[in-house]
Amino acid sequence: MASITATLLINTKTGFGPTKILFGVACQNDEAFWTFGNKNTIELYSFGGRQLDSVRTQSENVPRDIAVSRIGDLLYTDYFARCVNLVNGKTTRQLI
């Protein structure tokens, strides 16, 4: 059986810690990534650690998961509202 080795690519400060817990990350592109945790906001950071953008969930619920589409739109799931939302710029719309 082949072994899998994890490699640390980058270590960036995002403000997550004991009270702001990180749940997940999704790459936006080669220069930035989205993060989400136990708050109702999803934040975009540069790999240098600078916050570039922030999106608040429509329902004010904590997102369950995030992803980035092939064309760069942010998607997030809302477990309690039972929906998938697409964020394009500052516009959010419910897909499912």
Side-chain angles (χ1 to χ4, degrees):
M1 177 181 256
S3 65
I4 299 172
T5 304
T7 303
L8 178 65
L9 300 176
I10 192 163
N11 186 3
T12 302
K13 293 190 183 276
T14 58
F16 286 93
T19 59
K20 184 179 174 188
I21 301 167
L22 179 66
F23 288 170
V25 174
C27 281
Q28 173 69 35
N29 52 39
D30 291 342
E31 300 171 0
F33 60 96
W34 289 99
T35 63
F36 77 103
N38 61 332
K39 306 288 183 194
N40 64 350
T41 56
I42 305 165
E43 298 167 339
L44 181 65
Y45 288 92
S46 71
F47 283 110
R50 194 180 68 166
Q51 186 174 343
L52 304 174
D53 199 0
S54 178
V55 174
R56 184 178 297 261
T57 61
Q58 285 187 319
S59 65
E60 300 292 322
N61 295 327
V62 173
R64 182 67 160 209
D65 202 2
I66 61 174
V68 176
S69 71
R70 290 182 187 185
I71 60 171
D73 293 333
L74 173 66
L75 296 128
Y76 70 90
T77 57
D78 187 320
Y79 176 79
F80 295 105
R82 296 182 174 205
C83 63
V84 175
N85 294 288
L86 179 129
V87 180
N88 182 306
K90 291 294 179 186
T91 304
T92 303
R93 67 182 173 103
Q94 187 174 321
L95 295 180
I96 299 172

